[in-house]
Amino acid sequence: MSKKIRVKPGKAQSAVGLVTGLIFCLIGVTIVIPSAGLFGVFWTAIAAVITITNGINALSDKGVSSHEIIIENEERQESKSEHSETETLEKDIRERLDAAKALYEAGTITGEEYEAKRKEILKRL
């Protein structure tokens, strides 16, 4: 099961956002809407949403979160340990294959013995 943590901006940051949003709303109503029409309405609506969100964060304890942190569950950690077990097994098999090949190249075992040993090692996969 994962755990979610929501993070909201600090009161000071939200207060600055509130003041800035109010200024942008004022600019939108007095300048942008009369001169740009539909774009001005869009501009002012976005400024209003930003102002309201920052106002809620600055003036109340509840607030609106701006970020979410998700802490992975234990199943994910088990998956990582299973991955490391697979890597360990692969490394062991590679080492054993290398050792068998070295014995064959040194002439310690025959080609037939090398092939038999190689097949035996590969069965572990």
Side-chain angles (χ1 to χ4, degrees):
M1 175 181 266
S2 61
K3 183 177 180 181
K4 294 181 181 181
I5 300 171
R6 291 188 168 84
V7 181
K8 70 175 193 165
K11 297 252 185 217
Q13 179 182 354
S14 295
V16 170
L18 174 64
V19 171
T20 305
L22 288 171
I23 292 169
F24 274 78
C25 284
L26 183 62
I27 291 171
V29 170
T30 59
I31 298 171
V32 182
I33 289 176
S35 65
L38 189 58
F39 173 75
V41 173
F42 182 68
W43 163 293
T44 307
I46 290 174
V49 169
I50 292 170
T51 304
I52 291 168
T53 303
N54 281 298
I56 292 169
N57 284 339
L59 303 173
S60 74
D61 290 330
K62 194 171 188 177
V64 178
S65 63
S66 61
H67 296 82
E68 184 174 81
I69 299 171
I70 300 173
I71 299 174
E72 303 258 343
N73 56 15
E74 293 177 14
E75 292 174 18
R76 179 76 176 161
Q77 293 172 352
E78 289 174 12
S79 175
K80 288 179 183 177
S81 67
E82 289 173 5
H83 183 66
S84 64
E85 287 177 28
T86 303
E87 287 178 349
T88 303
L89 178 62
E90 289 174 358
K91 183 180 177 186
D92 178 52
I93 289 173
R94 266 188 260 119
E95 289 174 355
R96 293 182 68 198
L97 286 170
D98 290 342
K101 187 174 183 179
L103 289 172
Y104 170 71
E105 290 174 348
T108 309
I109 60 174
T110 65
E112 294 170 358
E113 292 172 319
Y114 168 70
E115 285 300 318
K117 191 63 174 174
R118 191 177 71 75
K119 287 178 183 178
E120 176 188 326
I121 294 168
L122 291 175
K123 283 182 183 178
R124 292 191 61 198
L125 287 177

